[in-house]
Amino acid sequence: MATRASEARATETKARAEASFKKEERAKEGAKAMLEYQANGRVVREQMARLKALRLAKQAADEAAGVPPETAVKAVKPVKAAKPVKAAKPAKVARKR
C-alpha cells in the first residue's frame, strides 16, 4: 500500500513540475514574441518616417523648380453594358384529343 501511495504522490509531483515548466516556457516564448513584434513595429515606423522625409524633400525640390505637383489620378472602371433581357417563352398548352 505504501508503495502505491508514494508512486501516486511521485506521479502528481512530476505532473505539477512538468506543468510549471511548460507554463514558464510559454511565458518566455510570449515575452520573446512580444519583443519581436515591437522591434518589427519600430522598423516599420522608421521606414515610414524615412520615406515621408524623402517624399517631402522631393515635393520641396519640385516646388522650387516650378514643377506642378502630381495629382493622384484614380483609375475609372469601364461601365459594363447591361445584358439584354430575353423575352419569356409562352407556355405550351396540352391539347385534348
Side-chain angles (χ1 to χ4, degrees), residues 11-38:
T11 304
E12 284 180 20
T13 306
K14 184 178 178 182
R16 274 189 262 125
E18 287 178 0
S20 176
F21 176 74
K22 287 180 182 178
K23 185 176 180 180
E24 289 176 13
E25 286 295 311
R26 282 194 303 270
K28 287 178 185 177
E29 289 176 10
K32 182 180 175 182
M34 183 55 75
L35 288 174
E36 288 178 13
Y37 174 77
Q38 290 172 345

Side-chain angles (χ1 to χ4, degrees), residues 79-96:
V79 178
K80 292 183 180 179
K83 292 183 180 180
V85 178
K86 293 182 180 179
K89 294 182 181 179
K92 292 185 179 181
V93 179
R95 295 184 187 175
K96 294 183 180 179

Side-chain angles (χ1 to χ4, degrees), residues 21-97:
F21 176 74
K22 287 180 182 178
K23 185 176 180 180
E24 289 176 13
E25 286 295 311
R26 282 194 303 270
K28 287 178 185 177
E29 289 176 10
K32 182 180 175 182
M34 183 55 75
L35 288 174
E36 288 178 13
Y37 174 77
Q38 290 172 345
N40 288 339
R42 188 171 32 257
V43 168
V44 168
R45 286 188 299 276
E46 289 171 358
Q47 288 176 347
M48 286 190 335
R50 182 181 61 84
L51 291 172
K52 181 178 181 180
L54 288 172
R55 179 177 46 84
L56 293 175
K58 182 182 181 303
Q59 286 176 350
D62 288 348
E63 286 179 11
V67 177
E70 296 179 17
T71 57
V73 178
K74 202 173 192 182
V76 179
K77 287 185 175 181
V79 178
K80 292 183 180 179
K83 292 183 180 180
V85 178
K86 293 182 180 179
K89 294 182 181 179
K92 292 185 179 181
V93 179
R95 295 184 187 175
K96 294 183 180 179
R97 288 188 179 198

